[in-house]
Amino acid sequence: MSAARLCARNRPAYLSDTAAADVLALLGRRIGETLDNGLAARRYGISGDRRALSGVPCHRTWTVCH
């Protein structure tokens, strides 16, 4: 499972970014990622729009190279 799907699955689309941030922050700490990158990966997982990953380096743990 891709990290973006993992983020979307753990914090579904009906939750706001603010509501999703608590779990994504914990997940990010475990894998050495920032909350901002986790939220970007979540938006990508929900929308499939690679523009959500704009500014996120390709080498990051939970993103997909774009």
Side-chain angles (χ1 to χ4, degrees), residues 9-59:
R9 185 179 203 176
N10 283 307
R11 297 285 88 183
Y14 63 83
L15 294 176
S16 68
D17 278 355
T18 303
D22 57 346
V23 171
L24 293 179
L26 293 172
L27 178 61
R29 273 188 238 133
R30 288 185 146 205
I31 63 173
E33 271 296 351
T34 67
L35 175 58
D36 286 340
N37 288 348
L39 290 169
R42 175 178 178 263
R43 286 189 294 274
Y44 170 70
I46 292 168
S47 70
D49 188 342
R50 290 182 182 264
R51 292 176 294 179
L53 299 175
S54 177
V56 177
C58 283
H59 69 277

